[in-house]
Amino acid sequence: VVSIAKKADQLKTIKLSGKLITDRSLDHLAEQCQHLEELQLQGCEQISDASIHQLAKQCSQLQVLGLAS
């Protein structure tokens, strides 16, 4: 996730459902991919509410966030 974020700061949609995503990875993604409009994280159970909050603050264009388990 970190290497994707470094190279893809203009991505608008990322689907990471079912992947092992940590708070650190999500924080880095939010920092690097601030133009996100859609992020799918279904089944990613290792992320905390604090990381979701940080994502919402940093990715102001985010319109769709999939979090179902």
Side-chain angles (χ1 to χ4, degrees):
V1 173
V2 172
S3 74
I4 291 170
K6 285 182 181 179
K7 297 176 183 175
D9 62 338
Q10 297 299 313
L11 279 176
K12 295 192 181 290
T13 301
I14 300 177
K15 297 180 180 182
L16 297 170
S17 299
K19 306 292 186 242
L20 180 59
I21 305 299
T22 63
D23 284 342
R24 183 172 179 253
S25 297
L26 189 59
D27 291 346
H28 193 75
L29 188 71
E31 184 179 303
Q32 297 295 318
C33 299
Q34 296 181 1
H35 298 286
L36 277 179
E37 295 176 1
E38 178 179 357
L39 180 59
Q40 297 295 335
L41 297 170
Q42 288 91 342
C44 299
E45 299 175 0
Q46 300 295 316
I47 53 176
S48 69
D49 291 345
S51 284
I52 297 298
H53 180 71
Q54 187 65 22
L55 176 75
K57 284 175 45 177
Q58 290 187 288
C59 298
S60 61
Q61 297 177 28
L62 192 64
Q63 298 172 18
V64 177
L65 178 60
L67 294 172
S69 56

